[in-house]
Structures are given as C-alpha cells and as structure tokens.
Amino acid sequence: MSAANYTEHDVSERLLNGPKILSWLNVRMYKPIWNPDNTQAGDADSISGFAIQFRHNHYQMLLNIIERRYPGVELYYYFLNENRVNAIAGRVKPYKKVFVVGITVGALRALHSMFYNQVCTSTLLCSLPAHGLFDQKAASRMLMYFSMTYLLLHEFTHIGRGHIGYLESIRTKKPRFIERCSLKNMGILEVNSRIEDDHENFERKLSECQADTYAGFMLSTFVAYQADELHRSSCGLPKTKIEDALAMLAACSVHLLFCLYESEHKRPHPHYPPPMIRSGMIETQLSRGFMEMRKRSIHHYVVTGMMIANQIAVSMKIPQSTYNLTQAYCEFRKHVLPHIDDLSTRAAAFMPQNIR
C-alpha cells in the first residue's frame, strides 16, 4: 500500500494490532492507543470531552500549516494509553513521509488535574487579568489548551526539522552492561538501557532545544487564532486586550507544563535545560512570532505570565530540582545556545521536503 493511500484507519490498525512501528523513540514498552469516551464529547471540561474537542478543532489547523509548509507529508495524531507524562513522535516505516505524534493519556490526565483541580482554585490565577473574557474554569480550559498545543508543536518540530531521521542515523549501537552488586560473585550481568555516547547525547539536547524554539514560535499562531475567534464572539472588546490576555495564559501554561514534567521525573533530564531556561526560550520565540504576525509587542504579558506560573508552582508545592539558575544559564549560553541552529545543517537531509 502506498503512503498516499495509507489512511488514518490503517495507521490505527497498525498501531493497535501490529508490531511497534514508531522509530527513534526510546520507549521500553509499546502502549496501544487511548480512545476517549464519546458520551462525554459535549463536556469540554471532562478529560474525554477536552480530548475529543481538542483533536477535532486543533488537528485541522495543524494540517493546514503542514500542507502549506510540507506538501506530501501525512501526519496522524493519537493519545497513547501510557501513564507517564510524555509525548512522542515517529516515522511509520517503510513509508517515508508518514509520521505519527502521540501524547500520553498520562500527560492529559496530569494536566487536567493540575489546571482544573489545583490552578483553577489558586488565588494567584486572579493575577492573570483576562479582561472579563474568562471565568476560573474557562481560564483553566485555555491553560490546558495551550499546554497541549505546545506538546503537539514540540513533537511536530522533531518531524519538520528532520530530527527523527538524523538521530536515527547517529544512534549508538552499544548497549550498557551493569553488574549487579548483589550477584557479583555469581558473575551475572544485567543488560540495562543502552548508553548514549557524548556526541549523541549532545545532539539530542540540541534537538530538544530546537523543538522548544520552533514550538514557541509556532505557538504565536495559535494565540493569534484564538484571539481572532474570541474577538468575533466577544462583546466588542478590543482585540489587543484579548491578545494580551491570551499571551499571558499561553506563557503561564507552558511554564506550568515544564514544572509538572520535572516533578514527574524527579531529577533534571539530561536532554533538557531547567524549566526556567526552557520557558525563557519559548517565551522569547512566542513574542517574536507574534511581533512578526501582528506588528505589536506582547513581551511584557508573556514574561508576566511566566513569572505568575512560577509563583503558582511554588504555592502548589510542585517539587522541583534544586539547581543554581545563574550557573545553569551560563553553561547553557556557553555550551548549548551557540550550536542550536547548527543542527539544521546536519539534519537538513532528513527534513520531510528533502526525503526521497
């Protein structure tokens, strides 16, 4: 069957019933697709209702972006039945331009719990002036929308910038053997997860930073899109006030997502900078993208949203790794930041438009 005829139903069947076909992904166990409860489709504030409406409304807009920039690429988007807070992207082999993005139901549930059960009741949420646009629950819904949007855009960047094929091409083949101390005298070796050499580890870090950068830039499109939708349905509020409110919510949402991710992993991840640095990259690109589209600055509102998110995370006692932010930023600026754009040259051959 050709890629052109490879329908969403066919991909679903392969994912559910076939062997593991997502490549490049360092997952230990394959998980099937999670299907939301269709009886809750009309309740946008339930987990299933949000998932259904998000995919229905959001997927088409993403496809419109893909069709303009990456002709011939097919993208399929699923929720995966896995409890970890994670999102993944992969290519469906042997079809060269068929890609899959998956967001775990664990991420969906954790975000729903955080935004609806914790953030929604936080008095700090009142610090996000929504100019009369949102009540507490509607603000929580918008926060969750922007978090899910960022996850999807981050994973799509791994596809669009050629990271998947490039990282496959340099992937270390060497496994890591660790001797169990308790069984030392028996000479039994345990095969643990493979170890990445320094080069691969650094290239993965660059790919994650680049995904953050491009996702932040593209997030501005969705802020503008939501502002246009709300302006058409609002009671004559100036569009600039709507844009400012949404910029603040988007920035707050992404930073809280990073805090949640770090708390789930219990320690700094070797492929990601600390959440505050990641937020800084994304908020900078969000402001830049919006300036290019609308010719006006939302930078103040973006920074304010990020800082309020940090206060909310502290008030909710979300566990965070301890690190020296100044030192971490200096190391990031010296060793990582200058090399992020260089990755595009090495990964160019694996970008969808260059795959033959």
Side-chain angles (χ1 to χ4, degrees):
M1 185 180 297
S2 69
N5 296 322
Y6 204 50
T7 66
E8 183 169 356
H9 174 73
D10 296 322
V11 175
S12 298
E13 289 300 307
R14 285 285 301 275
L15 285 170
L16 286 169
N17 302 320
K20 184 171 70 173
I21 58 173
L22 300 181
S23 59
W24 175 70
L25 308 171
N26 185 21
V27 289
R28 295 183 178 180
M29 185 180 299
Y30 174 68
K31 301 291 183 182
I33 293 170
W34 175 79
N35 291 309
D37 182 357
N38 286 324
T39 64
Q40 299 182 25
D43 181 7
D45 294 320
S46 67
I47 293 177
S48 289
F50 179 88
I52 291 169
Q53 294 194 25
F54 177 79
R55 178 172 178 176
H56 176 76
N57 297 327
H58 194 91
Y59 185 58
Q60 187 56 51
M61 186 178 180
L62 183 64
L63 288 182
N64 292 339
I65 294 174
I66 293 171
E67 288 172 1
R68 290 196 302 268
R69 298 186 61 182
Y70 305 105
V73 170
E74 293 185 58
L75 180 69
Y76 302 97
Y77 159 46
Y78 297 98
F79 292 105
L80 302 179
N81 193 18
E82 184 175 338
N83 290 325
R84 290 188 303 166
V85 176
N86 198 18
I88 57 178
R91 181 167 64 88
V92 180
K93 294 181 178 180
Y95 306 99
K96 294 182 178 179
K97 295 191 178 185
V98 179
F99 296 92
V100 175
V101 168
I103 298 177
T104 64
V105 68
L108 183 66
R109 288 170 178 156
L111 289 169
H112 189 273
S113 176
M114 180 171 68
F115 289 129
Y116 278 87
N117 299 336
Q118 296 175 284
V119 177
C120 185
T121 60
S122 172
T123 56
L124 286 165
L125 188 58
C126 299
S127 302
L128 292 167
H131 303 288
L133 285 172
F134 307 107
D135 57 23
Q136 293 284 87
K137 187 166 285 188
S140 294
R141 188 186 310 135
M142 191 60 68
L143 286 167
M144 188 164 175
Y145 169 82
F146 282 127
S147 278
M148 296 292 292
T149 300
Y150 161 77
L151 282 174
L152 194 57
L153 293 174
H154 177 100
E155 296 306 323
F156 177 69
T157 298
H158 286 314
I159 296 168
R161 304 306 301 173
H163 299 164
I164 292 176
Y166 172 67
L167 291 172
E168 280 183 337
S169 72
I170 65 168
R171 184 170 181 174
T172 305
K173 304 299 183 182
K174 180 178 61 177
R176 179 167 68 178
F177 294 91
I178 296 182
E179 189 172 9
R180 289 182 181 177
C181 296
S182 60
L183 300 175
K184 184 175 182 178
N185 294 333
M186 298 174 63
I188 296 178
L189 297 178
E190 176 189 14
V191 180
N192 202 6
S193 58
R194 66 181 186 84
I195 189 170
E196 298 169 341
D197 62 22
D198 290 341
H199 172 62
E200 181 185 0
N201 187 67
F202 186 67
E203 294 294 273
R204 287 196 65 184
K205 178 176 287 188
L206 292 180
S207 77
E208 297 299 340
C209 291
Q210 193 173 77
D212 280 343
T213 301
Y214 278 83
F217 188 83
M218 288 189 288
L219 189 61
S220 62
T221 301
F222 291 86
V223 170
Y225 171 79
Q226 287 297 319
D228 291 342
E229 289 289 303
L230 286 170
H231 185 251
R232 281 193 288 267
S233 61
S234 68
C235 302
L237 287 174
K239 187 184 290 187
T240 55
K241 288 189 176 295
I242 300 175
E243 291 169 347
D244 295 344
L246 291 179
M248 202 177 294
L249 287 171
C252 179
S253 171
V254 171
H255 187 70
L256 283 171
L257 168 65
F258 291 153
C259 292
L260 174 66
Y261 182 82
E262 188 175 33
S263 72
E264 289 285 321
H265 287 78
K266 311 300 181 187
R267 63 186 184 277
H269 197 288
H271 298 148
Y272 304 99
M276 190 66 75
I277 294 177
R278 295 186 72 187
S279 285
M281 287 194 298
I282 291 173
E283 318 311 356
T284 299
Q285 293 301 315
L286 171 58
S287 299
R288 176 172 165 259
F290 198 87
M291 173 64 81
E292 289 189 9
M293 281 191 301
R294 296 293 166 91
K295 309 304 180 187
R296 60 178 296 264
S297 175
I298 56 170
H299 182 70
H300 168 74
Y301 299 96
V302 167
V303 173
T304 302
M306 184 179 74
M307 299 311 296
I308 292 174
N310 200 52
Q311 294 172 11
I312 292 174
V314 172
S315 71
M316 293 193 308
K317 298 181 180 179
I318 297 178
Q320 298 183 47
S321 300
T322 57
Y323 60 89
N324 184 314
L325 179 60
T326 301
Q327 180 181 351
Y329 175 72
C330 289
E331 292 178 355
F332 171 78
R333 185 176 181 179
K334 180 179 179 180
H335 299 294
V336 179
L337 189 59
H339 304 286
I340 294 175
D341 288 340
D342 297 341
L343 178 64
S344 295
T345 301
R346 296 189 290 278
F350 302 95
M351 294 179 184
Q353 63 269 34
N354 295 330
I355 297 175
R356 298 290 183 262

